[in-house]
């Protein structure tokens, strides 16, 4: 793996850990700052809302400023480090919430810039695979980052978790600064006849990008409708021991790492089939999990398969949304992509909780998840195909025109 890609993966590992680790240290935070568990749980929602609503605005500003990657990436990582330092030093719940918001400001733009840079650095037939290497850091954060952060919090207090996050993020930033992430050649983007030349470019996202974003939100929502309540499903509906469920959650993450790698390669080799194949597998897995359990180990196998299928959708959908953006900014498209994933996570958690609150059985969350993911699959298959879409796909997924390289440069 090239050192710049490794450095960017280390950064996304820190970002993914920071996003979710609050769940593991929630009780100790609540006791220390004197608020309810529900209030501390809102820190996850506040982070996600900031990513969804503010992330695209931060990306738009950085595009208009035309910052070089060598400046943009370390600067945003510095903001992320400061947010974690603020959380570690927070004298009360308000300051802790503000620290989470500061960290979240950099989330979407950083991940989008990292994936865009990795895709551009890659050989022509490995763009999705290299982008998947960067997002692999998020998968690793679920398998290793969050559990280690929780252990640190249990042993030394929740503030130590944020100090560890700040230190590891600073180390990843210093490694990134030692690397050379190439800047694309400054090529003028195409413009309409008669359009004024302003020296600045605001990315215009076609409707096809928003349609893919809806597919991402529905597909992710389907998986998280079930995954949010996987532990009670596996213990109460299936009858597994809590210790076994812990192992299965780790295997789910390990399956995700495999799925991320396989999905990246599939998106490079079969860009048009990768999304239907991965979404279809996830929907089928959820549908089978919604049926009456027929053997505990069969359910365990399906659960791990779901992890692989879901993480395989990520590079496939990354390629789909960049392809849909065409000559407009792939970084902005990937920022919207990241926001759509966050919306899907929130949608799934809300829907699963609603079903259970209304008295539905635990397998119903898997059935609802299958319906959402199936709807995402049907929407993707039914999307209108523009004339010349094949050519655009080839340019985005395998090559890159000068206009595309210019768009990827900002940020």
């Amino acid at each position: 793996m090239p050192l710049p890609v490794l450095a960017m993966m280390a950064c996304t590992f820190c970002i993914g850990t920071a996003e979710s680790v609050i769940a593991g240290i929630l009780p100790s935070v609540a006791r220390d700052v004197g608020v309810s568990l529900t209030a501390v749980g809102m820190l996850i929602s506040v982070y996600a809302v900031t990513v969804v609503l503010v992330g695209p605005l931060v990306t738009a500003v950085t595009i208009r400023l035309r910052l070089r990657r060598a400046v943009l990436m370390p600067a945003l990582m510095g903001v992320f480090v400061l947010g974690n330092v603020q959380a570690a030093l927070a004298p009360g719940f308000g300051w802790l919430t503000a620290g989470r918001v500061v960290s979240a400001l950099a989330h979407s733009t950083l991940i989008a810039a990292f994936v865009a840079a990795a895709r551009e650095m890659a050989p022509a037939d490995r763009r999705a695979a290299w982008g998947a290497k960067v997002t692999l850091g998020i998968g690793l954060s679920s398998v290793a980052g969050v559990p280690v952060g929780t252990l640190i919090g249990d042993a030394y207090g929740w503030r130590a978790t944020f100090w560890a996050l700040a230190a590891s993020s600073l180390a990843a930033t210093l490694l990134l600064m030692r690397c050379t992430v190439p800047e694309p050649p400054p090529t003028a983007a195409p413009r309409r006849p008669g359009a004024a030349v302003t020296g600045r470019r605001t990315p215009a996202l076609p409707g096809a990008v928003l349609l893919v974003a809806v597919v991402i939100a529905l597909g992710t929502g389907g998986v998280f409708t079930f995954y949010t309540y996987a532990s009670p499903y596996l213990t109460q509906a299936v009858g597994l021991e809590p210790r076994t469920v812990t192992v299965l959650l780790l295997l789910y993450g390990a399956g995700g790492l495999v799925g991320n790698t396989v999905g990246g390669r599939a998106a490079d080799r079969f860009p048009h089939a990768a999304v239907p194949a991965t979404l279809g597998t996830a929907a089928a897995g959820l549908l089978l999990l919604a049926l009456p359990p027929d053997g505990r180990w069969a359910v365990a196998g399906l659960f791990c398969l779901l992890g692989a299928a879901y993480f395989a959708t990520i590079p496939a959908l990354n390629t789909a949304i960049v392809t849909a953006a065409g000559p407009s900014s792939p970084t902005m498209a990937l920022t919207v992509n990241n926001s759509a994933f966050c919306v899907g996570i929130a949608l799934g958690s809300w829907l699963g909780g609603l079903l259970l609150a209304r008295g539905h059985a635990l397998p119903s969350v898997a059935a609802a998840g299958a319906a959402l993911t199936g709807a995402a699959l049907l929407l993707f298959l039914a999307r209108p195909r523009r004339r010349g879409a094949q050519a655009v796909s080839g340019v985005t997924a395998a090559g890159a025109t000068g206009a595309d390289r210019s768009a990827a440069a900002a940020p």
Side-chain angles (χ1 to χ4, degrees):
M1 185 185 302
L3 186 59
V5 176
L6 179 62
M8 292 187 288
M9 186 180 75
C11 291
T12 60
F13 172 82
C14 296
I15 293 169
T17 301
E19 181 180 16
S20 303
V21 75
I22 195 70
I25 58 176
L26 189 147
S28 59
V29 173
R31 286 194 304 269
D32 190 48
V33 300
V35 297
S36 67
L37 290 175
T38 304
V40 180
M42 289 298 294
L43 291 175
I44 299 175
S45 301
V46 166
Y47 190 101
V49 169
T50 304
V51 169
V52 172
L53 298 182
V54 183
L57 298 178
V58 174
T59 300
V61 169
T62 57
I63 287 176
R64 291 186 66 84
L65 292 176
R66 305 183 72 85
L67 296 176
R68 297 175 65 247
R69 286 177 181 155
V71 175
L72 174 72
M73 292 177 177
L76 287 178
M77 281 301 297
V79 172
F80 180 75
V81 170
L82 288 176
N84 285 292
V85 170
Q86 180 176 340
L89 293 172
F93 185 68
W95 284 99
L96 177 57
T97 303
R100 294 285 290 170
V101 170
V102 171
S103 297
L105 291 175
H107 182 114
S108 279
T109 304
L110 272 174
I111 293 179
F114 289 153
V115 173
R119 288 174 61 91
E120 185 177 314
M121 292 168 59
D125 60 344
R126 299 280 291 166
R127 291 170 69 84
W130 280 37
K133 291 180 186 296
V134 171
T135 58
L136 186 63
I138 299 176
L140 287 170
S141 72
S142 300
V143 177
V146 173
V148 170
T150 301
L151 288 175
I152 291 173
D154 290 341
Y156 303 104
W158 64 270
R159 295 180 189 276
T161 299
F162 284 108
W163 281 120
L165 270 171
S168 58
S169 300
L170 180 59
T173 304
L174 294 175
L175 178 62
L176 181 65
M177 293 174 68
R178 290 180 59 88
C179 302
T180 301
V181 179
E183 303 289 340
T187 308
R191 59 188 180 90
R192 295 187 303 274
V197 178
T198 63
R200 293 183 176 181
R201 179 172 50 83
T202 300
L205 295 178
V209 170
L210 301 180
L211 188 146
V212 175
V214 174
V215 170
I216 293 169
L218 290 175
T220 303
V223 172
F224 274 84
T225 299
F226 171 77
Y227 180 74
T228 304
Y229 300 95
S231 291
Y233 170 88
L234 293 170
T235 55
Q236 299 175 30
V238 182
L240 296 174
E241 296 293 329
R243 186 178 304 175
T244 304
V245 172
T246 301
V247 174
L248 283 179
L249 291 172
L250 290 173
L251 291 176
Y252 178 95
L257 300 183
V258 175
N260 184 270
T261 301
V262 173
R265 294 178 180 176
D268 281 317
R269 296 188 62 183
F270 312 104
H272 297 295
V275 172
T278 55
L279 282 179
T281 303
L286 287 165
L287 185 60
L288 290 173
L289 287 167
L291 300 176
D294 185 16
R296 296 178 180 181
W297 296 113
V299 172
L302 284 172
F303 182 66
C304 297
L305 174 65
L306 178 64
Y310 169 66
F311 278 90
T313 67
I314 295 174
L317 289 166
N318 284 348
T319 296
I321 203 163
V322 172
T323 299
S328 65
S329 171
T331 304
M332 177 58 82
L334 288 166
T335 301
V336 172
N337 168 72
N338 191 62
S339 295
F341 275 109
C342 290
V343 169
I345 292 170
L347 171 65
S349 300
W350 170 81
L351 178 59
L354 179 66
L355 289 172
L356 296 179
R358 295 192 173 182
H360 293 277
L362 281 163
S364 69
V365 297
L372 276 183
T373 305
L377 172 61
L378 293 176
L379 180 61
F380 185 82
L381 293 174
R383 75 195 189 285
R385 297 290 188 91
R386 295 175 300 163
R387 182 178 299 179
Q390 181 81 16
V392 171
S393 174
V395 167
T396 310
T401 63
D404 185 44
R405 289 181 177 273
S406 176

